[in-house]
Amino acid sequence: MRLPLVRVTVLAVLLWAAGCTTTPSAPSTTPPAPHSVVLISVDGLPASALGRGNTPVLDALARDGVRADWMNPSYPALTFPNHFTLVTGLRPDRHGIIHNSMRDETVGGFKVADKAAGADARWWQAEPIWNTAGKAGLRTAIWAWPGNAAPIEGLRPTRWKPYSPEIDSAARADQVAAWMTEPPATRPHLAALYIERVDNVGHEKGPEAPETQAAIREVDAAIGRIVQALDARGLRASTDIVVVSDHGMAPVQPDQYIAIEDMATIEQAEAVSTGQVIGFNPRAGHEASTAQRLLGRHDHYECWRKQDLPARWHYGVHPRVPAIVCQFDEGWNALPAEQLARTPKDRLNRGSHGYDNALPSMRAVFLAAGPSFRRGARLPAFDNVDVYPLLAKLLGVTPARNDGSADVFAPVLTPRTPPAH
Ligand code: AMP
Ligand code: ZN
Ligand code: ZN
């Protein structure tokens, strides 16, 4: 609140210096609201889902602001690696969350559903935007973004909520709306919201199923509650809203499943993960036979030694990446034989991601509206490592070392004055 007064003083001085005889108008009694950023992730929302009648709120935000043709997820196109990339600007190979399921020689095993692992800072090897903002003295409030439960670098968001699937999308949105409409003295400069509903239904029913379309409408309406709350209090002009997804979703047929044990036997290698990106660590004495069996092209997947993975994936240097990585073709998945045997065909997932991040089905959403963004601007596709430096720019803080750049956004940003914190 000090800065507006400084600005008025500067204006007065300038008018005086210009020899202007008009008396500057008295300072407004309601200073402009401090600038805030709201980051929202709709897990598993494909870029192709926009503009099809199911996303009136998101489409209106895109009209009011900026929409990218699509955003490229990082490899692997899975939830935790990409969410941490979005808030750190580092590729998974560099921030340590190299998969949803991984092993580390000293830390042990990591799984998305393992709360203790999620809260263990040793897994999260990069500075998230809430730390960058916090170090600059800004307030943050983070709803269940992967990593928010860990004291990374010994720091926490100012406020944070753990992942709670029982809290529905609308209630989460209401919490974020409540944060963002607090008085300026406590209102977060940065809020983030994670919503998994579209991903969950997309997996179960497939990306084009009516149920998935209904989930998209439901989440769109939930985001609308935040927009409305800001509108009702005249806060849209001081709040940038950035909506992203982590990856898209590809359809899967029930007969497109392979047993992991048919790839390499349990005696040969430990399979570190299941799904679409399967890492194998050969057991001692079985290195040669595992390599012979796995490496190269197979009917529905291809395997590489970690050091030989395609360069465009920027993956394979981190010690947590298993020695051999197998990438499944679009629509195909690997599961443990026992799980395949006990799951009726009609209960197998009909949608998956984790495929080659260059596939159109994996394309993610990026749109943004608010005082920093030009109206109705369109951006060509870019990599999701660029989101963290953008957030830092919107907040007026210096980003940590990262793999992205805010330069791609230069054509769509307004010449907004630096935020008055
Ligand atoms: P996936 O589809 O395998 O990449 O994982 C995404 C799923 O993980 C989401 O649909 C959520 O159900 C779940 N999930 C997301 N965040 C968390 C979390 N912090 N703790 C536990 N599960 C989570
Ligand atoms: Zn996801
Ligand atoms: Zn998913």
Side-chain angles (χ1 to χ4, degrees):
M1 246 174 277
R2 270 178 299 114
L3 272 174
L5 285 176
V6 171
R7 267 199 226 119
V8 169
T9 313
V10 170
L11 179 67
V13 169
L14 287 176
L15 289 170
W16 170 81
C20 176
T21 53
T22 322
T23 312
S25 55
S28 156
T29 46
T30 47
H35 176 258
S36 295
V37 178
V38 181
L39 172 67
I40 302 169
S41 166
V42 183
D43 194 326
L45 183 68
S48 60
L50 297 179
R52 288 173 49 181
N54 290 322
T55 55
V57 171
L58 297 186
D59 295 341
L61 282 174
R63 276 195 305 277
D64 283 351
V66 175
R67 180 199 158 171
D69 289 344
W70 69 85
M71 182 165 68
N72 298 310
S74 293
Y75 185 90
L78 298 169
T79 298
F80 270 47
N82 275 285
H83 274 85
F84 206 44
T85 290
L86 285 161
V87 294
T88 62
L90 290 171
R91 298 189 192 279
D93 210 31
R94 302 228 293 152
H95 64 47
I97 305 297
I98 55 104
H99 201 289
N100 282 350
S101 306
M102 52 187 174
R103 283 203 68 74
D104 181 289
E105 264 192 16
T106 50
V107 191
F110 181 100
K111 285 206 179 325
V112 161
D114 178 350
K115 272 204 168 129
D120 185 339
R122 290 174 299 173
W123 288 106
W124 310 86
Q125 299 176 321
E127 177 177 307
I129 188 67
W130 54 84
N131 280 10
T132 313
K135 288 176 187 176
L138 304 189
R139 291 179 297 276
T140 60
I142 312 293
W143 210 106
W145 200 280
N148 81 328
I152 300 168
E153 304 173 301
L155 302 173
R156 297 256 185 208
T158 315
R159 286 180 269 182
W160 63 281
K161 297 271 183 190
Y163 175 67
S164 316
E166 68 282 3
I167 300 179
D168 70 19
S169 308
R172 294 178 201 187
D174 288 347
Q175 169 67 79
V176 171
W179 282 334
M180 300 317 294
T181 52
E182 284 183 6
T186 57
R187 186 184 310 152
H189 299 95
L190 169 71
L193 170 61
Y194 169 78
I195 304 179
E196 75 280 11
R197 177 103 182 109
V198 170
D199 182 77
N200 287 354
V201 183
H203 279 300
E204 197 186 326
K205 305 288 184 185
E208 292 301 328
E211 294 90 339
T212 309
Q213 305 307 308
I216 291 172
R217 287 194 292 277
E218 181 190 316
V219 170
D220 183 80
I223 295 170
R225 298 166 83 94
I226 299 175
V227 177
Q228 274 164 20
L230 294 171
D231 266 337
R233 288 162 184 82
L235 292 172
R236 282 292 293 286
S238 59
T239 310
D240 286 317
I241 303 174
V242 178
V243 181
V244 296
S245 64
D246 50 350
H247 48 69
M249 187 72 70
V252 172
Q253 303 310 320
D255 54 357
Q256 293 180 345
Y257 282 85
I258 286 176
I260 290 189
E261 292 83 347
D262 291 343
M263 300 172 71
T265 65
I266 300 214
E267 295 74 39
Q268 284 179 312
E270 178 205 14
V272 183
S273 48
T274 64
Q276 311 74 31
V277 183
I278 322 280
F280 287 95
N281 281 322
R283 298 187 199 279
H286 294 270
E287 292 85 354
S289 78
T290 306
Q292 194 184 7
R293 176 129 177 205
L294 283 176
L295 293 179
R297 182 75 216 171
H298 300 260
D299 262 355
H300 306 295
Y301 61 94
E302 185 164 357
C303 306
W304 296 261
R305 290 189 198 279
K306 63 187 285 188
Q307 62 271 28
D308 298 331
L309 283 159
R312 65 193 173 82
W313 287 343
H314 305 282
Y315 194 69
V317 172
H318 198 286
R320 291 175 190 162
V321 177
I324 295 177
V325 175
C326 300
Q327 174 60 58
F328 271 71
D329 296 345
E330 188 174 28
W332 288 83
N333 299 273
L335 285 178
E338 167 276 321
Q339 190 179 343
L340 262 184
R342 76 174 142 80
T343 312
K345 274 205 160 185
D346 62 353
R347 299 296 304 278
L348 289 167
N349 275 348
R350 298 302 301 271
S352 280
H353 48 88
Y355 301 117
D356 187 337
N357 59 335
L359 285 166
S361 59
M362 295 297 101
R363 291 173 180 170
V365 165
F366 175 92
L367 58 92
S372 303
F373 296 95
R374 293 192 192 282
R375 264 184 90 84
R378 186 96 180 194
L379 266 177
F382 61 89
D383 291 355
N384 67 353
V385 290
D386 296 332
V387 171
Y388 167 79
L390 169 69
L391 295 171
K393 193 178 177 77
L394 298 178
L395 291 165
V397 299
T398 308
R401 177 186 63 92
N402 65 84
D403 294 328
S405 163
D407 292 352
V408 333
F409 303 101
V412 302
L413 293 179
T414 57
R416 184 172 62 82
T417 40
H421 296 307

